Amino acid sequence: MNEHSPRPPFAARFHEWRRERGSWTLCEQLRSNARELESLIEAREASTEISAEHARLLQSARDELRQARAVIDFGTHRRSPRASHVTAAQLHINSGLSLWLRTLPARELEPCLPGMFAIVRRHLSAEDERRTAVERIALEVRAAQEASRDIGLAPDRLMTIVEALKAAWDAELREKLRAQSFARLVRWITAFLTGLAVAVAVISMVWPRAVPLCFNPPAAPVLGGGFAAVCPTASRERIPQMGMVRATASTAGRGDYLAVEFIGLTAASIAAAAALRKVRGTSTAFGIPIALALLKLPTGALTAVLGLLLMRGGFVPGLSALDSPGQIIAWAVVFGYSQELFTKFVDRQGQAVLADVRGPVEPPRAAVVPRPAHP
């Protein structure tokens, strides 16, 4: 676009913004894989030795590719494609690739073996019998290549490899579904805690005297003794012991809980920013690190309130009589940051889930690995 060309309308720019956010890069990768597989299918259909059964398999593979493109098509969705769309499209592409592999003769399938072995080892456990069978075949193939002999795999062994490959793709799908479920659960919990924090702030503003977030330290002797009422946003120097409960309730302000929650939220934000040093990023589209960071915010707001309520109830000996609003705010910072004690277990689980999702693996392609030279 040159400097004299008109700018696109707002609707077009907004559509571009929606298209390029979320899982756009992963969707483009799936489109490129689909185009590559379609070229391989066309090359296979042009072969003179294709049978009627193989022709039906190739047609089914084309149908799977059409389904994959329909899933990630930006023009047919009310929302931009996200993790679920990427996973579903990958499922169709894997199915189409499996159908295409079943039509290849042994001599054309042999160059794909290293990539197939890698996918099986990546996603199937060491105790899986299908992986064990594939590893035995891999040892035989490696021995034949080192001896410069023709591999000459029987059709039944080739089908064993293809079936193990399909099982590995299914295991990869289950890994992604677990990650998607975990991310959705964390988002729901975050939304619930956010609503709970908002509800606590609203209720405290409507009924500020119900559970005042105040403390009653002894008043200074120069003030005549007695007690004081110290709240997050106000304080009262001298109150009689007989009317301490009523005087404390009257000192409580409507913004006490809101101030404490805001301080706890700020401390939790700093904790979430500090936790980013441990985040290595991910190639998946589930946004687990972002969901874990957002979980800390409402948790920090609530832990600040609950911590001060525990102190007010004498749960911590010796810390039940804070004598200034500044001390209350300082402890709110401590309790807001201390949400790390609770969310660190969720962080560990999130990292474990991300570790299980081993990321995309390049599909096996013919002609990627040259065939061994024959004597």
Side-chain angles (χ1 to χ4, degrees), residues 250-322:
S250 63
T251 308
R254 294 182 180 274
D256 287 350
Y257 277 80
L258 182 61
V260 170
E261 286 191 356
F262 179 77
I263 296 300
L265 177 67
T266 304
S269 301
I270 297 175
L276 293 178
R277 72 183 187 277
K278 303 177 182 178
V279 177
R280 300 178 56 187
T282 175
S283 60
T284 63
F286 306 110
I288 292 180
I290 297 177
L292 293 175
L294 293 178
L295 177 64
K296 299 178 184 294
L297 305 185
T299 306
L302 292 174
T303 53
V305 171
L306 294 177
L308 289 175
L309 287 177
L310 288 175
M311 291 181 65
R312 184 178 183 273
F315 184 79
V316 182
L319 295 176
S320 58
L322 303 183

Side-chain angles (χ1 to χ4, degrees), residues 308 321-332:
L308 289 175
L322 303 183
D323 53 12
S324 68
Q327 288 189 5
I328 296 178
I329 297 302
W331 277 104

Side-chain angles (χ1 to χ4, degrees), residues 20 37 45 66-67 72 81 102 123 131 173 177-178 198 254 285:
E20 295 181 4
L37 180 56
E45 288 176 339
R66 281 194 292 269
Q67 290 291 334
I72 57 176
R102 294 174 186 275
H123 294 289
R131 173 176 170 175
L173 176 62
L177 290 178
R178 282 194 295 269
V198 172
R254 294 182 180 274

